[in-house]
Every structure is written in C-alpha cells, then in structure tokens.
Amino acid sequence: MPTVWWAERNQCESILDIVGMCGTGPLVAIALCLLIAGVLANQQRTFRFHPNSIRYNVNNNRPIIGILSQEPSKSIASVSPESVSYIAASYVKWLEGQGARVVPIKVNQPDSYYKTVFDSINGRLLIPGGGASLVSSGYGKAGSILYDLAIEANNNGDFFPVWGTCLGFELLLYLSAGRKNFLTPCNSYNRAASLKFISDASVSRLYQRAPNDVLKTLSKEKSTSNFHHWCMTKENLTASSLDNFYRPLATSTDDDGLEFVATIEAIDYPFWGVQFHPEKNVYEWGANLTSVPHWPSAIKAGQYFAEFFVNQARKSQHRFASRQEEATYLIYNYAPLYTANVSSSFLQSYFFD
Ligand SMILES: *[C@@H]1O[C@H](CO)[C@@H](O)[C@H](O)[C@H]1NC(C)=O
Ligand SMILES: *[C@@H]1O[C@H](CO)[C@@H](O)[C@H](O)[C@H]1NC(C)=O
Ligand SMILES: *[C@@H]1O[C@H](CO)[C@@H](O)[C@H](O)[C@H]1NC(C)=O
C-alpha cells in the first residue's frame, strides 16, 4: 500500500480527461481511444463507487444539520447561568461555511421532540460532550435515541448521514459496540498530528474523491487538531468486533507514540467519525490552544470534512412541515455569546434552555 495512493488516482483522472477529449477531438485515432479506454477500465477497478458516493442523488440544496447540544461545564455555564445546554459556535460556522443551516437539538426533551427534529433534518453532527457523561447525561441519552433513529431510517432506505467529532467519534464507537467502551487512556491533548492512511482510505467514500492537496496536507503536515485523553486502537477495533461496522481509514500517534484510529467510516451506513477537530483549524483561537494548525493548507483540509458531510446531507430528503416551522427551529433564533474569557476551548457559544 503506497502512502501516496492519490498520486495513482491522479493518473486515472488525467486519463479520464483524455478519454473525454476522444469524443470531441477531431482527429484522435480510434485505436488510441480504445487503448486508453482499456487502461482506464483497468484502473477504475481500483475505485469502488459505493452507492453512498457523493456522485449520486445530490439534489437537496437546503440541507439542515442538527447538532446535539450538551450540558455546559461550570466555567461555560457562568456566562449564561439559566441555560441547560450549549453548542460551541465553531461547529455551527464550520457547517454554515458549506451551505448548510443548523438546528440545535436540546437535551432532556420528550421522545416526540427528537422524532420531529429527526424527521426534519438532513444529517446530524455529534460533537464533544465536554464534561457530559456518555451514559447518564441528557447529551448521552438524546444521542442514544437519535442514533437508534438513524440506524432505523438507513435500514429502511431513508438515507441519513451522521458525523462524530472527537467525543462524538467516541460516542459513535460506544453506541455501535452495543453501549460498551473499548477506549484506552492516551496522551493526545493539545496535539497537532498528521494522518497515516490505511489502505481502505483509497476506496472510502470520505477520502476517495478528496482533492490531492488536501490528502497531501493531511498525511504530510501536522494538520489535525487533537484534544482527547482516550484512544481507540486498531487492536481494540478488531477485538471489539467494531471492525465489522466501521472501517478504520487513518491513524495518528499520541505524545507517547501510541497509534490510534483517527478516522472511521461505517461500512453499511453513512456514518463517519474523526478523533480530531477539523473545525478548530479555522474557528478556534483560545489563548491556551497553542497547537491548533492555522496555516492555509490546514484550514483547507479542515474545511474539506465539512464540505464532504454537508454534501452527504444534500442526499437526505427530510424536511420540516413548513418554512415557518423550519424558521422556529433554526439556530438563528439564538445569538452566540463570547466564552473565550471563561473557556480555553471555545471562542463563542450558543446557549439553550
Ligand atoms: C481495549 O479495551 C479495553 C476495554 O474493553 C481496555 O481496557 C484496553 O485498555 C483496550 N486495549 C487497547 C490496546 O486499546
Ligand atoms: C465573559 O464574557 C461574557 C460575555 O461578554 C460576560 O458575560 C462574562 O461576565 C465574562 N466573564 C468573566 C469571568 O469575565
Ligand atoms: C490557560 O492555561 C492557564 C495555565 O494552565 C490557566 O491558568 C488558564 O486558566 C487557562 N485559560 C483559560 C481561559 O482556560
């Protein structure tokens, strides 16, 4: 498995361009066309176009993504003491930058609320729970209800994508393992890292069509932002049988050289998770976040993940009953507050009752 698998793909795409010319070019020998087409057919075998590929059915240009809110830490709560939950604004901006709008999902609501929201949004972003427990918090409970709804919908052919970032990644692993934890403690807090792609990355929906410069940045530069104390190892992904559900696509290493899974893609579901924080590169500037990669190629790489996920959400046909109802759920009903003075992690946050 070459570490620069996209270079091979580049070759394929330039051949695609030449074949395109065959149709219109005036004097290209038929024999040459056939020869190139033969080479192309051969090369294409290395690229499996999964039915979930972004090539298909991209036809909802009003994608709305739900973000599950979470109970705030004491310091964040001090900015809005009456609020029950919050969402860091960086996640919202990360999606908005790709043409999506956001619906905040509240915690401690009746099941009927989660069902209504689920039926109306086109995808869901799972984000870090901060101090929230995966099991007992409102965040963990709502996350579990919504996970079951997403599994059921996709089983019934109702395409519904889910993305997990950092603790959201850990929550996906926990839920998919039948609510069991297979993480191991590690040291990867305030750490910029590169990705080591695993061979499945070249046929994954997530990385298969990523621009070459993005793949190069991710693999050659310390362009991913890590803030986690727990890691999933490749060994445990196998030991837990989670590898029947998720393919690992890339790993990174922690401060002690431990190799951990950095990206997962569900084999039969449109679910993805990253252990790192693609949104921090462009949107978080806390004084203590000294490791966050803010250089241009790292910004572009971080935004690629949002572009990919929002384009997946465009394939979902869920919608609110009316534009009026939609308006009452959108995050524009709330204004973010400055939280950098009380939290090293989040510049701005939205608060909910
Ligand atoms: C595997 O998971 C178990 C928990 O089920 C944990 O105790 C152990 O440290 C993990 N091992 C590795 C190598 O990640
Ligand atoms: C932090 O900033 C917020 C928003 O301006 C303000 O309400 C709060 O009082 C500030 N907290 C501290 C501890 O300075
Ligand atoms: C930043 O880190 C310093 C030193 O650990 C700590 O005293 C300070 O409270 C942190 N700042 C914020 C906003 O969390």
Side-chain angles (χ1 to χ4, degrees):
M1 179 60 207
T3 49
V4 287
W5 51 269
W6 61 87
E8 187 189 336
R9 180 199 52 179
N10 194 33
Q11 197 184 344
C12 172
E13 294 203 330
S14 38
I15 290 170
L16 260 173
D17 290 341
I18 297 167
V19 171
M21 278 162 52
C22 287
T24 49
L27 291 169
V28 180
I30 289 169
L32 181 60
C33 282
L34 289 177
L35 178 69
I36 293 170
V39 172
L40 174 67
N42 227 358
Q43 294 230 356
Q44 267 200 331
R45 258 177 237 138
T46 60
F47 302 102
R48 191 151 25 101
F49 288 109
H50 193 278
N52 292 340
S53 157
I54 56 171
R55 288 198 151 194
Y56 298 99
N57 306 325
V58 178
N59 56 9
N60 173 359
N61 284 326
R62 301 178 60 79
I64 295 179
I65 313 270
I67 305 183
L68 180 55
S69 63
Q70 59 207 249
E71 288 91 340
S73 64
K74 263 199 184 134
S75 53
I76 293 191
S78 70
V79 174
S80 181
E82 287 87 56
S83 298
V84 175
S85 66
Y86 82 109
I87 294 174
S90 49
Y91 298 100
V92 177
K93 292 184 263 196
W94 185 67
L95 296 170
E96 287 179 343
Q98 303 300 329
R101 288 162 301 152
V102 166
V103 160
I105 306 176
K106 299 179 181 186
V107 299
N108 304 336
Q109 301 294 309
D111 285 9
S112 59
Y113 164 85
Y114 295 110
K115 179 81 174 108
T116 301
V117 170
F118 180 80
D119 288 342
S120 311
I121 58 177
N122 307 110
R124 195 161 66 85
L125 174 65
L126 278 168
I127 56 174
S133 145
L134 293 185
V135 184
S136 59
S137 65
Y139 167 83
K141 283 181 197 150
S144 175
I145 295 171
L146 288 161
Y147 177 87
D148 291 342
L149 287 171
I151 290 278
E152 189 192 341
N154 285 295
N155 284 348
N156 294 331
D158 172 17
F159 184 89
F160 187 87
V162 177
W163 183 276
T165 291
C166 197
L167 201 76
F169 164 95
E170 295 173 10
L171 180 60
L172 278 178
L173 290 169
Y174 168 80
L175 294 170
S176 303
R179 292 159 174 83
K180 285 204 194 80
N181 186 7
F182 290 93
L183 301 169
T184 194
C186 62
N187 292 308
S188 191
Y189 200 82
N190 206 3
R191 178 180 174 82
S194 58
L195 295 184
K196 189 170 129 197
F197 288 113
I198 296 168
S199 59
D200 280 346
S202 65
V203 291
S204 68
R205 284 155 277 151
L206 178 59
Y207 290 121
Q208 183 185 103
R209 312 263 322 150
N212 286 6
D213 61 337
V214 165
L215 295 169
K216 189 170 168 203
T217 298
L218 290 169
S219 63
K220 304 261 184 247
E221 298 171 22
K222 293 187 173 173
S223 54
T224 65
S225 188
N226 290 271
F227 284 87
H228 54 104
H229 298 293
W230 293 89
C231 286
M232 173 59 76
T233 58
K234 277 196 330 193
E235 296 73 37
N236 260 16
L237 200 72
T238 304
S240 61
S241 299
L242 273 165
D243 61 345
N244 292 330
F245 195 89
Y246 294 107
R247 274 193 197 101
L249 303 182
T251 60
S252 293
T253 50
D254 84 344
D255 292 348
D256 307 320
L258 176 85
E259 188 176 7
F260 60 87
V261 177
T263 309
I264 50 172
E265 175 173 277
I267 296 166
D268 294 318
Y269 292 86
F271 297 176
W272 292 270
V274 289
Q275 181 70 81
F276 52 92
H277 284 267
E279 78 294 341
K280 282 202 197 297
N281 294 12
V282 54
Y283 292 117
E284 291 295 0
W285 295 90
N288 286 0
L289 302 192
T290 49
S291 68
V292 177
H294 287 305
W295 56 90
S297 56
I299 301 279
K300 186 174 177 191
Q303 287 172 317
Y304 167 73
F305 295 99
E307 180 190 353
F308 173 84
F309 183 59
V310 169
N311 286 343
Q312 292 295 319
R314 292 174 193 277
K315 292 155 54 178
S316 159
Q317 301 304 322
H318 289 194
R319 62 192 65 222
F320 282 96
S322 66
R323 291 280 169 93
Q324 286 76 7
E325 190 193 36
E326 177 183 289
T328 65
Y329 279 84
L330 289 169
I331 202 156
Y332 310 121
N333 292 290
Y334 306 86
L337 297 177
Y338 182 69
T339 45
N341 59 344
V342 296
S343 150
S344 64
S345 306
F346 306 123
L347 219 54
Q348 295 179 299
S349 305
Y350 287 91
F351 290 89
F352 312 99
D353 53 23

